[in-house]
Amino acid sequence: MTMGAVLFALSFRSTQAVGVDLFHPALWGEDGNVFVNEAHAAGLGSFLKPYAGYMHLVPRAIAYVVSFLPIEHVPLAFHLGWLTAFFATIWIIRSRLVTLGVQPAFYIGGLVLLTIQPQAGEVFFTLTNIQWFTGLALTVYLIF
């Protein structure tokens, strides 16, 4: 029920201002020009390359795996990588809240609110900005 409610809320973001949405995978921002190119050029060494002062483990790991696919499949693979990381975040938060005894209505409502948070849309459906969700998941996991 939780994942269904979150997926329903996520569907309201089916069109985003940045041109990447739930139903039309595309590369955005650093997806192609940094992560894909560096995965091709450096292979596993790309994991050790900071970008904009940060280490991007999740985007680089996904880009490395995807670098073996034909280029026309990269946007869909990145999209599936984002969806997997997003739902892993939802699952981690949900599991931690359940162990604390939070009632389903509260944690489902909170996860839906996380999904429909007001923002410009660029953190949704783009591998470039997946750290906003994976960072939250790691933080919640470590705290609880």
Side-chain angles (χ1 to χ4, degrees):
M1 181 165 170
T2 303
M3 295 300 181
V6 170
L7 187 57
F8 179 72
L10 195 60
S11 72
F12 286 104
R13 295 196 173 277
S14 64
T15 57
Q16 296 288 299
V18 296
V20 180
D21 65 53
L22 180 61
F23 303 109
H24 302 93
L27 296 179
W28 186 82
E30 293 85 358
D31 288 351
N33 66 341
V34 173
F35 299 128
V36 171
N37 288 341
E38 290 182 0
H40 279 288
L44 289 173
S46 66
F47 284 76
L48 303 175
K49 294 180 97 172
Y51 173 72
Y54 299 97
M55 302 302 283
H56 292 84
L57 178 64
V58 174
R60 290 205 184 270
I62 293 170
Y64 176 74
V65 172
V66 168
S67 70
F68 297 102
L69 296 175
I71 195 70
E72 62 269 14
H73 299 300
V74 169
L76 178 59
F78 271 22
H79 198 63
L80 293 174
W82 183 89
L83 286 168
T84 301
F86 175 77
F87 280 107
T89 298
I90 297 299
W91 182 82
I92 288 168
I93 294 171
R94 180 200 167 277
S95 69
R96 299 294 100 193
L97 293 175
V98 167
T99 61
L100 291 173
V102 175
Q103 296 296 315
F106 290 113
Y107 68 73
I108 290 171
L111 293 172
V112 166
L113 288 174
L114 172 69
T115 306
I116 61 171
Q117 63 182 294
Q119 49 87 39
E122 63 186 48
V123 301
F124 286 89
F125 314 116
T126 66
L127 196 62
T128 295
N129 291 309
I130 193 58
Q131 77 274 3
W132 299 111
F133 293 106
T134 56
L136 175 62
L138 180 60
T139 302
V140 168
Y141 186 79
L142 292 174
I143 289 173
F144 299 107

